[in-house]
Amino acid sequence: METKYSFRMKSDAQGVVKIKTTHPHGYSYVRPYLLSTSKERLPEDVSFRVVKGKRWTDIVVYYESEGRNFYSQRFIDLLNRFVDMSRFSYPIKIENTDLTYYAIYNLPECTFLNRKASFLKPGTTPCFDLHENMPNLFSLEGTNLRVCSHEVKDAIEKAKLTNVYISEVFGLTNEESNPINEENSVILGIDMR
């Protein structure tokens, strides 16, 4: 078992900026582009506007979907120390601000082993299929979870990035994820059967 870390916006943050698209078709139009594993960037004509909050933090969120996050220049610069973020991020347009925020896209995916259990049971820890040479930044299949290495997590904490919540996720080998191995289900709070 190998521990990795997921990062996202703090759900209890007060007064943090939330943005929404100005596109006439709204969220349904931009949604597929805002997944961290999407292979396509938002079209050039898509922009955003602030609809709630006044506090700009290192992570801001899409107003209608807590899982759709945008990252400050400072956050992207930090990630760039570990991964070439020019391949995995691009700036978005936010009206009436000079600040630059980025969407993350095109991340490599790992198989999410306990998607059903982790989304249905509170306190359940997500697990993924552990491969050799895991990148410093990736996503879990079919989710918008951004997962990073221990080194990236430490850098985020040391930099004191604002509005960032970090939680553990676990990479399991084939043997560890085998449903016959009851010990994993007890340790991780999941039912692999």
Side-chain angles (χ1 to χ4, degrees):
M1 180 168 51
E2 185 175 326
T3 305
K4 298 285 185 182
Y5 302 89
S6 174
F7 57 86
R8 59 183 164 91
M9 183 190 99
K10 288 183 180 175
S11 60
D12 61 347
Q14 299 295 315
V16 173
V17 165
K18 292 186 177 186
I19 61 176
K20 189 174 185 177
T21 186
T22 60
H23 194 277
H25 296 292
Y27 180 63
S28 62
Y29 179 76
V30 299
R31 183 177 180 263
Y33 297 102
L34 299 181
L35 288 171
S36 56
T37 55
S38 172
K39 302 302 178 206
E40 295 183 48
R41 294 177 177 212
L42 281 163
E44 289 291 320
D45 65 338
V46 173
S47 64
F48 298 88
R49 65 183 170 84
V50 175
V51 293
K52 190 173 182 180
K54 294 183 180 184
R55 190 164 58 101
W56 291 95
T57 58
D58 289 303
I59 298 179
V60 297
V61 69
Y62 191 85
Y63 181 67
E64 296 169 318
S65 178
E66 295 288 321
R68 307 299 190 252
N69 298 318
F70 302 95
Y71 303 88
S72 69
Q73 182 71 59
R74 189 173 112 156
F75 202 128
I76 295 300
D77 289 346
L78 181 142
L79 292 174
N80 204 45
R81 293 178 10 210
F82 301 93
V83 178
D84 178 8
M85 290 305 292
S86 66
R87 295 175 41 214
F88 302 115
S89 66
Y90 58 93
I92 61 168
K93 295 178 225 162
I94 304 175
E95 296 176 350
N96 301 317
T97 185
D98 293 332
L99 298 172
T100 304
Y101 277 80
Y102 293 80
I104 290 180
Y105 82 120
N106 200 32
L107 287 182
E109 285 182 282
C110 285
T111 304
F112 194 174
L113 295 174
N114 65 323
R115 181 183 172 119
K116 185 176 179 182
S118 66
F119 283 117
L120 297 177
K121 297 178 185 174
T124 303
T125 305
C127 297
F128 61 91
D129 186 15
L130 182 61
H131 302 290
E132 302 251 345
N133 302 320
M134 297 297 292
N136 281 316
L137 184 62
F138 59 94
S139 186
L140 297 186
E141 172 185 63
T143 75
N144 214 26
L145 291 174
R146 287 141 311 266
V147 179
C148 65
S149 66
H150 186 76
E151 294 80 18
V152 175
K153 177 203 70 104
D154 286 350
I156 291 170
E157 291 174 342
K158 185 176 181 182
K160 297 184 180 353
L161 295 178
T162 56
N163 195 30
V164 180
Y165 175 76
I166 298 173
S167 58
E168 292 181 330
V169 295
F170 296 102
L172 303 177
T173 63
N174 285 337
E175 295 79 25
E176 290 170 325
S177 64
N178 186 339
I180 297 170
N181 188 342
E182 297 290 326
E183 185 178 342
N184 288 329
S185 294
V186 173
I187 291 172
L188 300 173
I190 59 172
D191 183 0
M192 298 296 289
R193 289 175 266 163

